[in-house]
Amino acid sequence: MIFVAGAGGLVYALYPRIMPQTQVIEDRLQSAELDHLRQLSDFNTIADPTARSVALFEEAARVIEHPRCMNCHPRTDRPTQTEAMRPHTPWVTRGADGGGAPNLRCSTCHQAENFEPSGVPGNAKWRLAPIEMAWQGKTLGDICRQLLDPARSHMTREELLHHMAEDELVGWAWHPGANRKPAPGTQQAFGSLIKAWLDTGAACPP
């Protein structure tokens, strides 16, 4: 009798069932609940150019330090996930190109777009940032200096601006699907802050 009950439970566990459809969080939240980035005009009252540059970067950092970005900039070769930035489950690793180990690529689970029935996020470029761009555990000033160092960011300032303002993987942060909270503002607003920061001298916080 015990064996029969156990077998029945196993059949139930393995029987395919339709997962509940999730919703993109922007559809669930009222606009007042979504975070917005400050307008560039809000910084015009800061007369000192260096102080204004730092203030612009600190506003952009609300995106940079958000879990949607931080999860892909881990301090180790293992990504993190969720708002709590807990270690990725199942255990995966960066691999030589940031796209996972040869026997378990990121693309094994992460497809070209979000898979809403299961909640698995997706993008055609899904991968980790270079280990030289590990942000978790760093101060905002350290992150700022990493971004400006081509040896670590592997980008010129022009490429950095394009990455922040136009890269589709960065853009995923505003369309994460499932029950994930998107990064503040929009990619366009974020890109405008980054451009203004670079144009004002790209000053970094201490």
Side-chain angles (χ1 to χ4, degrees):
M1 182 66 69
I2 295 176
F3 173 80
V4 172
L10 179 60
V11 169
Y12 178 80
L14 296 179
Y15 188 77
R17 299 184 301 280
I18 298 174
M19 298 293 289
Q21 183 73 23
T22 56
Q23 286 182 291
V24 176
I25 196 164
E26 292 96 327
D27 295 335
R28 294 193 298 102
L29 294 179
Q30 300 297 318
S31 59
E33 294 179 88
L34 294 171
D35 291 332
H36 300 280
L37 293 169
R38 295 169 62 189
Q39 301 292 316
L40 295 183
S41 58
D42 294 338
F43 300 88
N44 291 341
T45 57
I46 305 177
D48 180 72
T50 299
R52 184 163 66 252
S53 188
V54 170
L56 287 162
F57 185 77
E58 289 176 338
E59 182 66 12
R62 294 178 55 212
V63 173
I64 292 170
E65 294 187 314
H66 193 276
R68 298 289 79 77
C69 295
M70 279 286 192
N71 281 331
C72 291
H73 288 261
R75 69 182 75 190
T76 70
D77 285 334
R78 186 181 182 185
T80 57
Q81 56 188 178
T82 76
E83 304 296 316
M85 297 193 297
R86 62 171 182 254
H88 191 287
T89 301
W91 190 299
V92 293
T93 189
R94 179 188 306 277
D97 63 352
N103 61 340
L104 186 56
R105 302 292 292 167
C106 296
S107 57
T108 302
C109 296
H110 299 280
Q111 304 301 304
E113 57 187 21
N114 296 334
F115 188 62
E116 296 296 344
S118 66
V120 175
N123 183 275
K125 296 183 178 180
W126 199 270
R127 65 184 58 241
L128 289 182
I131 189 62
E132 298 89 347
M133 287 299 289
W135 291 351
Q136 293 183 18
K138 301 289 184 66
T139 67
L140 185 55
D142 286 340
I143 294 173
C144 180
R145 287 179 281 276
Q146 281 177 290
L147 288 169
L148 294 174
D149 181 3
R152 289 183 285 175
S153 69
H154 305 287
M155 292 182 285
T156 64
R157 293 194 180 192
E158 291 76 17
E159 290 169 334
L160 173 63
L161 176 58
H162 179 272
H163 177 68
M164 298 298 203
E166 301 181 44
D167 188 277
E168 63 188 61
L169 181 55
V170 174
W172 173 88
W174 290 274
H175 308 281
N179 61 345
R180 303 174 191 88
K181 187 175 183 179
T186 64
Q187 187 172 21
Q188 181 180 9
F190 175 59
S192 296
L193 286 168
I194 293 294
K195 184 179 187 303
W197 165 63
L198 291 170
D199 289 346
T200 52
C204 292

